[in-house]
Amino acid sequence: MAKPRILVAVIAYNEEMNIGRVLKDLEKHNFGYDVVVIDNGSSDSTAAVCKKHKVPCVTHCINTGSSVGTVMTYFLYANRYKYDVLCQFDGDGQHVASELKTIVEPIINNRADYVIGSRYLGKDGFKSTAIRRVGIKLFSTLISRLTGLVITDATSGFRAYGDVVIKYFALNYRKEIYDVNQLLLLSYYNGARVTELPVTMKERMHGKSEFDFTNSFLFPLKGVINIIGCILEYKTKIRVA
């Protein structure tokens, strides 16, 4: 049986102060995966730092407005270059490369198609800001009710996908992804086996999160709208042929 090809997609926007450290961490703990950076229209030297580290960088010509705007790009990239497993890894330094093996293991062993790295299944690590924790709890509860699964960190950016999810979004889904809850529900409704595993996250050292004061309050509203849209889309019985 051929060894699965694994891609780690690092998403970044104006992360010149963090991306070098992230790429070094990935290089140090590399167990056979490839790395690509999806640069969401940065105005700083993010792409130049990637070039210095000899890591491929796909740069959007404009910023999409949020990190979720990178999702379709890395699905298309992974499908084009025939990867079997795809991991999202944030470029702000919050994720730990040594935990990638844990995240991809259920997919490699055919026990899951969509793995969420949850910061809430363990006691250690950064748990996000108080405002964001309220939103995360809300969406985790909603997703759990809708799917019958036990989800504790629905909006986690530390995720891995198998071939089922990669091909669905690269080949069959022709709309934009606006929200991580939309991504999770569409995957689940189209047959993906979803599971969570504990991970430890760190607080970003430099730069600003996309979730400023305003976006932290808009985040729940946008998320609820996206969840309603997913439910309506599911009821139309759209499925992979």
Side-chain angles (χ1 to χ4, degrees):
M1 184 176 178
K3 184 178 179 181
R5 299 187 68 230
I6 303 171
L7 175 68
V8 176
V10 181
I11 61 171
Y13 174 64
N14 287 346
E15 296 290 2
E16 64 178 2
M17 300 296 291
N18 295 312
I19 195 70
R21 180 164 50 90
V22 170
L23 296 177
K24 286 181 180 178
D25 188 32
L26 288 167
E27 182 179 3
K28 179 181 178 182
H29 295 96
N30 196 314
F31 53 87
Y33 52 76
D34 294 332
V35 178
V36 64
V37 174
I38 309 299
D39 174 17
N40 198 8
S42 294
S43 58
D44 66 0
S45 299
T46 295
V49 176
C50 296
K51 184 177 181 180
K52 180 181 178 182
H53 285 268
K54 299 180 180 180
V55 173
C57 182
V58 177
T59 301
H60 288 177
C61 59
I62 60 171
N63 178 259
T64 62
S66 77
S67 60
V68 184
T70 63
V71 167
M72 289 303 292
T73 302
Y74 63 57
F75 279 130
L76 291 167
Y77 186 100
N79 182 69
R80 179 177 181 178
Y81 294 105
K82 303 185 186 306
Y83 285 97
D84 304 297
V85 182
L86 168 64
C87 305
Q88 177 180 313
F89 198 85
D90 289 354
D92 58 11
Q94 290 194 346
H95 300 161
V96 181
S98 60
E99 297 186 325
L100 278 166
K101 267 191 176 181
T102 300
I103 293 297
V104 303
E105 190 272 337
I107 294 174
I108 291 173
N109 290 309
N110 196 30
R111 297 201 311 272
D113 305 298
Y114 188 123
V115 179
I116 304 166
S118 172
R119 74 201 92 182
Y120 299 112
L121 288 177
K123 295 181 179 180
D124 298 328
F126 179 60
K127 308 297 183 184
S128 195
T129 62
I131 294 176
R132 280 217 64 207
R133 287 199 300 272
V134 173
I136 293 167
K137 178 64 175 178
L138 167 66
F139 291 122
S140 296
T141 300
L142 283 173
I143 296 296
S144 297
R145 295 277 180 88
L146 289 169
T147 62
L149 303 171
V150 178
I151 303 295
T152 64
D153 200 354
T155 67
S156 171
F158 198 2
R159 300 188 294 275
Y161 319 99
D163 191 60
V164 168
V165 179
I166 295 170
K167 280 187 165 49
Y168 173 69
F169 286 104
L171 301 177
N172 297 91
Y173 197 72
R174 290 293 180 264
K175 302 173 185 178
E176 292 297 319
I177 299 294
Y178 295 100
D179 179 86
V180 69
N181 298 299
Q182 177 190 9
L183 175 66
L184 199 164
L185 281 176
L186 288 173
S187 299
Y188 175 79
Y189 287 151
N190 284 280
R193 296 164 297 171
V194 181
T195 191
E196 274 193 330
L197 292 173
V199 297
T200 301
M201 295 191 187
K202 299 183 292 184
E203 191 170 3
R204 71 158 51 237
M205 292 182 64
H206 304 284
K208 297 180 180 179
S209 168
E210 65 179 299
F211 290 100
D212 55 20
F213 186 79
T214 301
N215 284 332
S216 292
F217 278 100
L218 290 176
F219 168 66
L221 175 61
K222 292 178 179 178
V224 169
I225 292 172
N226 273 287
I227 287 175
I228 293 172
C230 287
I231 295 171
L232 293 175
E233 186 170 4
Y234 171 63
K235 288 182 181 297
T236 64
K237 304 299 182 183
I238 296 174
R239 292 291 187 277
V240 179

